[in-house]
């Protein structure tokens, strides 16, 4: 008796009702969340007023310096507000004025966004004086003098003067607004030191600025360019070692922002390490060390600091390979994001619609492009259903025979029917690079940052309206509604497409149907802490897949015609293809070897 592997009318109605329930569930939580926000608005304002930020005292690195004696100077333009400390002559605070950081207390992105604050960045130039004592400029006390858009910090060490001159751009192009010119000058240092190079040491603790801690932590790493800006590399491991390369710039990349220092002479013998921080306001601790030359034992070098959002057009405008900092994927994957998904998003977003609906339309466009491949896949599925009785008959006939003979008989049925099993793999192969490209796109595309849709407040982070009173391993302390909805439709799609999958005929062989059903459940663990934009995309994508199957099954394909076509294919002599010939020869050789081994055992 032929199995009915499709959906009947009651199943179609069930699917439609389930979709309505899911959407109703989404709208309910959105409305409920809006009520909570309205009730807590006054309370939050009161708390923010009571918890106004207090000045943070600097760490007393130098025993001769007290916190009250440390002076600060400030520079600002339209994009950056910078503060400089007299202790070490360092940049002690960096605020990006047009962006906000996520506040875990209010569940909103309403905090000032500081890349550097509270001594999380500490850098200096280290050298030895003629007595062998190690000196680091971060321990010296500088005197700041502000002149317009420039600040000069001067320190003295045993009669030698060291100056750090910082200049910010207040006019010019947007890219210039994120740059800070940094000149280092010395006078009389040759009388104090005989070194021919200084060791630039930079310690940096990455601040937690986004909602998804684990996701942001995984995107925090070293990034650097070398070979005259032509080559780029990154390091998310525990250590980095580039002793043979001269680095043009070294940066600490976060999910959407980066702090970069460029050396005009380059950093040599560079090395670094990084360690994850499990909890608190910091995500990772990174330490970098690289040498810069001291000409005639004087420290005269030009640098540029960049405190930049990872916006692709902005990064490209520098022409310093900064666009590689944005992790959109290597090779073809990166090309798909840069040349297809980002332009498509920008084009649709220019219509003025919400980000969630932009993603919805992107999904439809991708489906339309892939529709010919999808049609072939589902047509193959329908043909497999028609010849299933013959496959079952062959399996029963060769039940007790050599497994190789059973496989040969099955392949012969496919060949006569004109069914190419390998064609079913093509859609899956095409989907893999698309999935990986989108996996890179959604959590790294800064235009989506802070863009809400329904109950998801930020499409680059997870939605967590369903909060759990405990933590579940690999799942966390919440349930994402987008992830749940996506998992449900993937499960429905799996049920619809796994009907033609053969059951294992031999003992010990895995049941592929069971594995296929487990996959959507495991997918929930992955999506629950991923960008909600990715879950929304795949919810829409798989819902469309289900509709395509229904349309193909009930509107486009006629099983009687397919059956007649298969019978006609059987009647015609079939030319054996190269792949089929190779498979047949492999099976025959394997069968011959098996027989030889059996005969050898009998002897």
């Amino acid at each position: 008796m032929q199995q009915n592997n499709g959906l009947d009318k009651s199943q179609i109605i069930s699917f439609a009702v389930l979709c309505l329930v899911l959407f109703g569930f989404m709208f309910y939580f959105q409305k409920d969340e809006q009520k909570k926000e309205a009730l807590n608005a006054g309370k939050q304002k009161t708390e923010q007023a009571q918890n106004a930020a207090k000045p943070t005292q600097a760490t007393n690195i130098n025993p001769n310096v007290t916190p009250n004696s440390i002076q600060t100077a400030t520079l600002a333009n339209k994009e950056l507000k910078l503060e400089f400390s007299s202790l070490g002559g360092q940049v002690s605070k960096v605020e990006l004025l047009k962006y906000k950081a996520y506040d875990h207390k209010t569940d909103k992105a309403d905090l000032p966004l500081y890349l550097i604050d509270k001594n999380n960045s500490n850098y200096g130039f280290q050298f030895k004086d003629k007595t062998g004592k190690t000196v680091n400029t971060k321990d010296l006390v500088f005197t700041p003098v502000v002149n317009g858009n420039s600040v000069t910090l001067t320190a003295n060490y045993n009669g030698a003067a060291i100056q750090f001159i910082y200049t910010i751009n207040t006019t010019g192009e947007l890219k210039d607004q994120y740059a800070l010119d940094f000149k280092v000058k010395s006078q009389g240092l040759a009388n104090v030191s005989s070194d021919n190079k200084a060791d630039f040491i930079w310690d940096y603790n990455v601040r937690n600025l986004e909602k998804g801690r684990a996701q942001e932590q995984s995107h925090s790493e070293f990034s650097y360019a070398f070979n005259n800006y032509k080559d780029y590399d990154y390091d998310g491991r525990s250590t980095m070692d580039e002793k043979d390369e001269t680095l043009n710039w070294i940066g600490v990349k976060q999910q959407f922002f980066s702090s970069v220092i460029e050396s005009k002479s380059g950093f040599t013998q560079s090395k670094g390490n990084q360690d994850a921080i499990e909890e608190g306001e910091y995500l990772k601790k990174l330490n970098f060390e690289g040498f810069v030359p001291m000409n005639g034992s004087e420290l005269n070098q030009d640098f540029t600091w960049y405190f930049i959002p990872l916006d692709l057009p902005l990064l490209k405008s520098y022409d310093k390979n900064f666009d590689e900092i944005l992790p959109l994927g290597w090779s073809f994957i990166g090309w798909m994001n840069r040349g297809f998904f980002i332009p498509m998003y920008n084009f649709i977003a220019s219509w003025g619609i919400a980000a969630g609906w932009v993603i919805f339309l992107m999904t439809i466009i991708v489906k339309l492009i892939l529709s010919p491949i999808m049609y072939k896949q589902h047509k193959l599925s329908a043909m497999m259903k028609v010849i299933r009785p013959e496959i079952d008959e062959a399996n029963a006939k060769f039940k007790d025979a050599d497994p190789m003979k059973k496989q040969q008989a099955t392949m012969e049925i496919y060949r006569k029917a004109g069914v190419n099993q390998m064609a079913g793999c093509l859609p899956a192969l095409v989907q893999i690079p698309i999935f990986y490209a989108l996996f890179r796109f959604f959590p790294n595309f800064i235009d989506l940052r802070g863009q809400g849709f329904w109950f998801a407040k930020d499409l680059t982070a997870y939605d967590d309206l369903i909060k759990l009173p405990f933590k579940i391993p690999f799942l966390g302390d919440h349930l994402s509604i987008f992830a749940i909805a996506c998992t449900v439709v993937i499960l429905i799609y799996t049920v619809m497409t796994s009907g033609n999958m053969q059951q294992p005929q031999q003992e010990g062989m895995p049941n592929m149907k069971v594995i296929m059903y487990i996959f959507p459940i495991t997918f929930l663990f992955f999506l629950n802490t991923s960008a909600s934009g990715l879950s929304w995309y795949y919810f829409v994508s798989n819902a469309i897949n289900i509709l395509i199957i229904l349309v193909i099954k009930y509107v486009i394909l006629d099983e009687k015609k397919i059956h007649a076509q298969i019978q006609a294919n059987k009647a015609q002599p079939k030319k054996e293809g190269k792949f089929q010939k190779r498979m047949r020869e492999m099976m025959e050789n394997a069968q011959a070897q098996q027989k030889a081994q059996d005969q050898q055992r009998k002897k």
Side-chain angles (χ1 to χ4, degrees):
M1 180 172 141
Q2 188 170 328
Q3 294 178 344
N4 179 13
N5 295 311
L7 294 181
D8 56 27
K9 291 183 179 179
S10 63
Q11 290 174 311
I12 297 172
I13 294 171
S14 298
F15 168 68
V17 171
L18 179 58
C19 286
L20 289 174
V21 170
L22 286 173
F23 277 100
F25 193 47
M26 293 175 181
F27 280 115
Y28 169 78
F29 272 101
Q30 181 192 25
K31 188 175 180 181
D32 185 59
E33 185 67 12
Q34 288 173 345
K35 288 181 179 179
K36 289 180 180 178
E37 289 180 0
L39 290 171
N40 292 331
K43 182 179 178 182
Q44 288 172 0
K45 288 180 180 179
T46 303
E47 289 179 353
Q48 288 174 1
Q50 291 175 347
N51 298 325
K54 298 179 181 178
T56 302
Q57 300 296 333
T59 303
N60 192 2
I61 300 173
N62 192 319
N64 298 320
V65 178
T66 63
N68 292 331
S69 67
I70 296 175
Q71 301 178 56
T72 60
T74 302
L75 296 177
N77 59 19
K78 294 178 181 179
E79 307 296 334
L80 298 176
K81 184 176 180 181
L82 308 170
E83 186 179 278
F84 305 87
S85 173
S86 62
L87 181 58
Q90 307 176 63
V91 179
S92 56
K93 185 178 291 188
V94 175
E95 180 184 357
L96 274 71
L97 298 174
K98 293 185 179 178
Y99 294 89
K100 295 294 181 181
Y102 177 75
D103 187 349
H104 291 271
K105 294 180 180 178
T106 64
D107 194 27
K108 291 182 179 180
D110 56 5
L111 292 176
L113 196 150
Y114 294 108
L115 289 182
I116 296 177
D117 191 21
K118 301 179 182 178
N119 301 308
N120 69 305
S121 176
N122 194 1
Y123 62 89
F125 299 90
Q126 185 170 282
F127 55 90
K128 287 186 178 181
D129 64 13
K130 290 184 177 180
T131 66
K133 180 182 177 182
T134 299
V135 181
N136 195 316
T137 60
K138 71 181 180 63
D139 299 321
L140 301 179
V141 178
F142 288 72
T143 301
V145 177
V146 178
N147 183 14
N149 63 333
S150 179
V151 57
T152 301
L153 296 107
T154 307
N156 292 287
Y157 179 73
N158 290 349
I162 301 173
Q163 282 190 333
F164 289 173
I165 305 170
Y166 298 95
T167 306
I168 194 171
N169 294 289
T170 55
T171 59
E173 299 180 48
L174 178 64
K175 67 176 184 177
D176 299 327
Q177 302 289 308
Y178 290 106
L180 175 68
D181 186 62
F182 174 32
K183 295 184 183 298
V184 180
K185 295 182 178 181
S186 70
Q187 186 174 2
L189 196 59
N191 299 326
V192 177
S193 173
S194 57
D195 275 353
N196 60 5
K197 60 183 179 181
D199 192 1
F200 176 72
I201 299 176
W202 183 23
D203 300 326
Y204 192 100
N205 289 347
V206 178
R207 296 175 58 82
N208 184 192
L209 304 175
E210 313 299 331
K211 181 175 183 178
R213 181 183 180 86
Q215 183 172 251
E216 186 182 10
Q217 188 180 61
S218 68
H219 284 85
S220 299
E221 59 200 7
F222 281 122
S223 56
Y224 46 93
F226 52 95
N227 191 20
N228 196 26
Y229 302 94
K230 295 177 182 177
D231 295 321
Y232 168 85
D233 207 347
Y234 69 96
D235 204 310
R237 300 165 297 179
S238 58
T239 59
M240 66 163 287
D241 191 351
E242 293 289 353
K243 292 183 179 179
D244 299 327
E245 302 290 350
T246 298
L247 305 191
N248 303 115
W249 54 261
I250 176 74
V252 175
K253 172 200 168 298
Q254 298 178 225
Q255 188 173 353
F256 293 108
F257 306 95
S258 188
S259 301
V260 177
I261 184 168
E262 175 191 19
S263 170
K264 301 302 186 289
S265 62
F267 298 105
T268 59
Q269 301 180 47
S270 300
K271 61 182 179 179
N273 60 77
Q274 52 191 303
D275 297 293
I277 300 173
E278 295 305 321
E279 57 184 16
E281 63 177 313
Y282 301 110
L283 303 172
K284 268 187 177 180
K285 181 179 181 180
L286 298 99
N287 310 102
F288 171 78
E289 183 178 357
F291 288 92
V292 293
M294 293 176 66
N295 299 319
S297 296
E298 294 289 348
L299 186 56
N300 295 305
Q301 292 292 331
D302 290 344
F303 303 87
T304 304
W305 280 103
Y306 300 90
F307 305 104
I308 45 179
L310 300 184
D311 176 73
L312 187 59
L314 174 65
L315 297 174
K316 281 185 174 181
S317 68
Y318 289 101
D319 197 26
K320 297 179 182 294
N321 222 354
F322 283 167
D323 54 302
E324 291 288 352
I325 300 176
L326 192 59
L328 295 174
W330 292 99
S331 187
F332 180 66
I333 303 299
W335 177 87
M336 286 180 65
N337 277 322
R338 288 179 171 86
F340 181 65
F341 284 114
I342 290 179
M344 179 168 58
Y345 178 92
N346 290 333
F347 175 71
I348 300 174
S350 67
W351 302 346
I353 60 178
W357 294 118
V358 175
I359 295 172
F360 180 85
L361 293 176
M362 285 176 62
T363 314
I364 293 176
I365 292 172
V366 172
K367 285 299 174 185
L368 288 174
I369 294 172
L370 296 178
S371 58
I373 299 174
M374 296 292 294
Y375 173 76
K376 288 183 179 180
Q377 180 190 26
H378 294 303
K379 183 178 179 180
L380 173 65
S381 178
M383 294 176 75
M384 291 286 290
K385 175 185 173 183
V386 172
I387 65 172
R388 172 54 62 82
E390 296 182 49
I391 299 293
D392 292 340
E393 184 180 341
N395 287 333
K397 181 178 178 181
F398 293 96
K399 184 178 181 181
D400 300 323
D402 189 331
M404 199 70 68
K405 288 184 178 180
K406 184 193 299 182
Q407 187 65 24
Q408 286 176 332
T410 303
M411 289 188 65
E412 184 66 15
I413 293 172
Y414 290 140
R415 188 180 70 83
K416 287 182 177 180
V419 174
N420 183 5
Q421 282 184 294
M422 296 302 295
C425 299
L426 181 60
L429 293 175
V430 171
Q431 292 282 359
I432 290 173
I434 292 175
F435 173 81
Y436 190 70
L438 292 170
F439 171 70
R440 288 288 191 175
F441 171 79
F442 284 107
N444 293 295
F445 188 45
I446 197 168
D447 287 15
L448 282 173
R449 183 180 185 268
Q451 295 292 324
F453 185 63
W454 288 345
F455 40 82
K457 296 181 179 180
D458 188 342
L459 287 168
T460 64
Y462 55 82
D463 65 273
D464 59 350
L465 288 182
I466 304 177
K467 293 181 172 63
L468 303 175
F470 48 82
K471 282 190 176 182
I472 300 175
F474 307 108
L475 198 64
D477 57 358
H478 70 277
L479 288 174
S480 165
I481 298 175
F482 271 130
I484 294 171
C486 184
T487 301
V488 171
V489 293
I490 292 176
L491 188 58
I492 293 172
Y493 177 72
T494 303
V495 171
M496 295 175 67
T497 56
S498 63
N500 296 313
M501 192 172 293
Q502 287 183 266
Q503 296 299 316
Q505 302 296 323
Q506 296 180 358
E507 188 176 348
M509 292 287 286
N511 189 327
M512 291 305 296
K513 276 192 175 183
V514 174
I515 294 175
M516 290 293 288
Y517 294 151
I518 291 175
F519 172 74
I521 307 302
T522 58
F523 212 60
L524 173 64
F525 287 83
F526 167 75
L527 290 174
N528 198 58
T529 55
S530 299
S532 54
L534 182 66
S535 300
W536 168 238
Y537 177 94
Y538 275 100
F539 170 80
V540 176
S541 178
N542 283 280
I544 293 174
N545 283 343
I546 293 170
L547 293 176
I548 289 173
I549 292 176
L550 296 175
V551 171
I552 290 175
K553 175 178 174 58
Y554 292 106
V555 179
I556 298 176
L557 293 182
D558 187 332
E559 289 189 9
K560 291 182 179 179
K561 287 184 179 180
I562 292 174
H563 186 73
Q565 180 185 340
I566 290 175
Q567 298 306 318
N569 289 341
K570 289 181 181 180
Q572 295 176 1
K574 283 285 177 183
K575 184 179 178 180
E576 190 174 40
K578 290 182 180 180
F579 175 76
Q580 291 172 324
K581 182 180 178 181
R582 200 170 296 146
M583 289 295 294
R584 178 178 56 77
E585 290 174 349
M586 288 174 59
M587 289 183 179
E588 288 175 352
N589 291 335
Q591 192 173 7
Q593 291 176 4
Q594 185 65 40
K595 285 183 178 179
Q597 290 176 1
D598 292 342
Q599 290 176 357
Q600 190 67 29
R601 288 195 201 96
K602 290 178 180 179
K603 291 179 180 181

